[in-house]
Amino acid sequence: MERTDNLAHLYQAHASALLRLAYVLTGDRHAAEDIAQEAFVRIGRRLIRFRDPEHTRAYLLRTVINLSRGRARRARVERAALARLHHPQTHELPDGGRDEIWAGLLRLPERQRAALFLRFYLDHSEATAAEVLGCSPSAMKSLVSRGLKTLRESVENDR
Amino acid sequence: MTDIERRLQQTFLEQLDRLEMPDRLASVRKRAQRRRLVSMTTIMALVVGALASATVLINTVDRPEITDEVAMPTTSSPESDGETKDKKEASECPDGIEGDGLERGEPRPPQPYFYPHNTWRMKVGRDCVTVIAGAKGRYDQENAREHGTYRRGALLLMDESGSFTTRDQLLFAPLPAPIRIVDVRGQGMESELVLQSLVDCSLASFRLLSQDFESTGGDYQCTADDASGHDQPTYVVADCFEPELRPQEIIFTCATADFRATELAWQGWNPMAASARGNFECYGTTCQWERTGTIALSKRGYCEDLGKYVFMEGRVVLDSKADGQRVFKVMPGCGLP
């Protein structure tokens, strides 16, 4: 009983952030909802309890990042298969493609996208964001820096 | 805050604040409960399986030692015993350099590999064959003795033998080829093991004397079938479609792309076997882990569609367990059609 109540509490507290992160990583609203839901299923299944609520949040965010990476890989394999069948599939930008910053963001590698989301949307510190991404703070700094640089160049090229 | 950072923040707010997660809590609870039940069933099945294995082990512990030692090197499916076998192997087969046994850029020793004037002795362990070659003729420099351990057709050099005190001495070891066990003839003390170099097809057989094998010479005939195709490289289908040599990444599950190797650093690559250290990750509906480990590719086979030889199988050994398992069998094969 306590577990399910806890799950409800977690869902209420983190669902939107997870959905938004998944949306930044996938660019697909429906896929993002499925990924966010799956993250809660996993934490509910494994009976995980964290002493620090921030660790729960970090675990959920990390799960969403991993699930999104898995989905992107499957998509790459599917695209390669289609290309081999001479049905090249263009990777269309999802809704929001009109915004040049958003379009540039969706072209960044997934880890850079996640790093920018954690730093500039969730306002995480470098150390916290690094913990979520499973890298060192200096690597985090580098991801953010490279992401911003590419984004700046992408916006300038679009003009 | 720079201009691009400010604009990015603004874009995030515009694009994301309107997104709200629909209430799927009931579905989450139902699915989590179902998976917990599946996990518990799996754990129970594993416990029952482990108890059954333990019973089998107790029943076989008194088997004759020599029969077991001779039979194991010919086993072609190392995964059948899973992790238990891997532990045995780790304790009995020394680590070494997998590959052709030569230093980078070093010229190959003259062939044939099984030089007729060499004398050989060997010990057969459960999963490895240790060859001790008392070399004569042109390999008699500095009275060097060559030690090599062969495992599943791939060559490993031992470097813990007292005979190899310097690295220079290793250079004299005539170990240019992957070896395969061609045949085991006879039984018990009368057993004879036939090895073949897959570079030049030269053969050597070893008679069992006490627990050692001794060479009877290298004058066996080589057939065309034995040598066919061994001058062509063996590839691996790394991305489910294209054959590659020494790829940095390999996708093992083409249907879902859940399980893959990344950052592979190849330690050896020859027509019969290849091995690498790397990162192994599995992120899917049934797994969520990332570990370092090694992969050994084997079972060379020809793919008609690709027109190339490829490694059909691989064995991944993680440095630490993931989901209770350390050894995984992978089948890159010919990839997707």
Side-chain angles (χ1 to χ4, degrees), chain B residues 107-136:
Chain B
R108 286 186 178 282
Q111 292 176 359
Y113 176 78
F114 289 114
Y115 199 62
H117 301 295
N118 289 350
T119 58
W120 299 75
R121 287 175 61 248
M122 63 192 303
K123 288 180 182 175
V124 181
R126 281 191 169 80
D127 279 286
C128 55
V129 181
T130 302
V131 175
I132 304 167
K136 291 183 178 175

Side-chain angles (χ1 to χ4, degrees), chain A residues 4 11 16 20 23 29 33-34 37-38 42 44-45 47 66 73-74 84 100 120-121 159, chain B residues 7 9 16-17 19-20 22 24 27 29 31 35-36 241-242 256 258 281 283-285 288:
Chain A
T4 47
Y11 194 89
S16 294
R20 289 162 189 171
Y23 183 61
R29 168 76 194 255
E33 285 179 6
D34 289 345
Q37 179 178 341
E38 177 65 21
R42 291 191 181 192
R45 180 192 64 173
L47 324 175
N66 290 338
R73 278 180 199 140
R74 283 191 291 279
R84 280 178 70 85
E100 56 184 3
F120 295 106
Y121 186 73
R159 282 177 183 167
Chain B
R7 289 182 63 189
Q9 247 178 0
L16 301 180
D17 273 5
L19 290 179
E20 287 299 334
R24 293 189 180 180
S27 169
R29 281 179 178 154
R31 285 176 60 189
R35 288 200 197 167
R36 272 199 301 275
F241 298 108
E242 297 298 331
T256 57
D258 286 344
E281 50 187 69
Y283 290 111
T285 50
Q288 278 276 300

Side-chain angles (χ1 to χ4, degrees), chain B residues 24-317:
Chain B
R24 293 189 180 180
L25 191 56
S27 169
V28 166
R29 281 179 178 154
K30 203 182 287 179
R31 285 176 60 189
Q33 194 176 13
R34 200 181 307 143
R35 288 200 197 167
R36 272 199 301 275
L37 280 172
V38 170
S39 301
M40 286 168 69
T41 314
T42 310
I43 290 167
M44 284 174 69
L46 285 171
V47 169
V48 170
L51 286 171
S53 302
T55 312
V56 170
L57 199 64
I58 290 164
N59 289 339
T60 55
V61 89
D62 291 326
R63 62 188 166 180
E65 184 75 8
I66 194 68
T67 309
D68 184 42
E69 287 190 346
V70 171
M72 289 304 278
T74 60
T75 305
S76 60
S77 177
E79 285 70 26
S80 54
D81 290 338
E83 195 179 40
T84 312
K85 190 168 172 181
D86 187 62
K87 280 181 183 167
K88 281 183 195 170
E89 185 179 275
S91 62
E92 294 181 14
C93 298
D95 288 327
I97 308 158
E98 202 156 349
D100 61 9
L102 298 176
E103 293 286 336
R104 191 181 291 263
E106 181 194 359
R108 286 186 178 282
Q111 292 176 359
Y113 176 78
F114 289 114
Y115 199 62
H117 301 295
N118 289 350
T119 58
W120 299 75
R121 287 175 61 248
M122 63 192 303
K123 288 180 182 175
V124 181
R126 281 191 169 80
D127 279 286
C128 55
V129 181
T130 302
V131 175
I132 304 167
K136 291 183 178 175
R138 64 196 318 156
Y139 292 112
D140 199 19
Q141 300 170 52
E142 297 183 8
N143 200 23
R145 283 155 53 88
E146 290 78 27
H147 290 221
T149 298
Y150 306 95
R151 184 166 54 181
R152 278 184 237 104
L155 185 65
L156 292 164
L157 275 178
M158 284 179 12
D159 55 6
E160 62 179 16
S161 161
S163 301
F164 288 111
T165 50
T166 67
R167 192 134 189 95
D168 286 342
Q169 282 180 300
L170 272 174
L171 298 180
F172 296 118
L175 300 170
I179 305 297
R180 72 170 183 176
I181 296 170
V182 177
D183 197 8
V184 179
R185 299 167 185 169
Q187 285 188 333
M189 299 296 282
E190 300 298 318
S191 295
E192 190 176 58
L193 186 70
V194 183
L195 297 185
Q196 183 173 42
S197 154
L198 293 174
V199 163
D200 62 2
C201 289
S202 60
L203 288 150
S205 72
F206 302 87
R207 268 189 299 113
L208 186 66
L209 297 174
S210 68
Q211 288 195 11
D212 290 344
F213 282 93
E214 191 170 272
S215 171
T216 55
D219 52 356
Y220 285 76
Q221 293 299 308
C222 182
T223 66
D225 285 345
D226 292 331
S228 63
H230 284 123
D231 56 338
Q232 295 177 34
T234 309
Y235 296 78
V236 63
V237 178
D239 66 349
C240 303
F241 298 108
E242 297 298 331
E244 291 178 49
L245 291 170
R246 296 175 180 262
Q248 284 193 323
E249 286 193 16
I250 302 177
I251 298 172
F252 299 125
T253 50
C254 289
T256 57
D258 286 344
F259 186 23
R260 63 163 49 196
T262 60
E263 298 167 30
L264 290 172
W266 293 97
Q267 297 159 336
W269 188 293
N270 63 48
M272 296 309 294
S275 68
R277 272 202 70 76
N279 200 39
F280 298 87
E281 50 187 69
C282 189
Y283 290 111
T285 50
T286 57
C287 57
Q288 278 276 300
W289 52 260
E290 198 167 332
R291 300 278 190 285
T292 54
T294 57
I295 179 170
L297 297 173
S298 58
K299 288 224 169 162
R300 175 184 159 102
Y302 189 74
C303 294
E304 292 285 347
D305 288 351
L306 303 172
K308 286 186 166 68
Y309 286 94
V310 298
F311 289 116
M312 293 292 182
E313 281 187 17
R315 185 168 187 259
V316 173
V317 181

Side-chain angles (χ1 to χ4, degrees), chain A residues 62-90:
Chain A
R62 181 76 188 269
T63 306
V64 165
I65 291 168
N66 290 338
L67 289 170
S68 303
R69 284 172 71 190
R71 183 184 174 278
R73 278 180 199 140
R74 283 191 291 279
R76 276 198 289 274
V77 171
E78 283 166 14
R79 277 201 296 276
L82 285 171
R84 280 178 70 85
L85 293 170
H86 308 295
H87 296 303
Q89 189 191 43
T90 52

Side-chain angles (χ1 to χ4, degrees), chain A residues 18-28 32 35 61-69 71-72 91 102 105-106 108-115 117 133, chain B residues 12 16:
Chain A
L18 299 191
L19 171 70
R20 289 162 189 171
L21 172 59
Y23 183 61
V24 167
L25 295 175
T26 60
D28 181 329
I35 286 171
L61 290 169
R62 181 76 188 269
T63 306
V64 165
I65 291 168
N66 290 338
L67 289 170
S68 303
R69 284 172 71 190
R71 183 184 174 278
H91 184 58
W102 184 247
L105 183 77
L106 293 178
L108 292 179
E110 286 148 26
R111 277 174 75 81
Q112 289 182 17
R113 248 184 284 171
F117 175 86
L133 274 183
Chain B
F12 272 142
L16 301 180

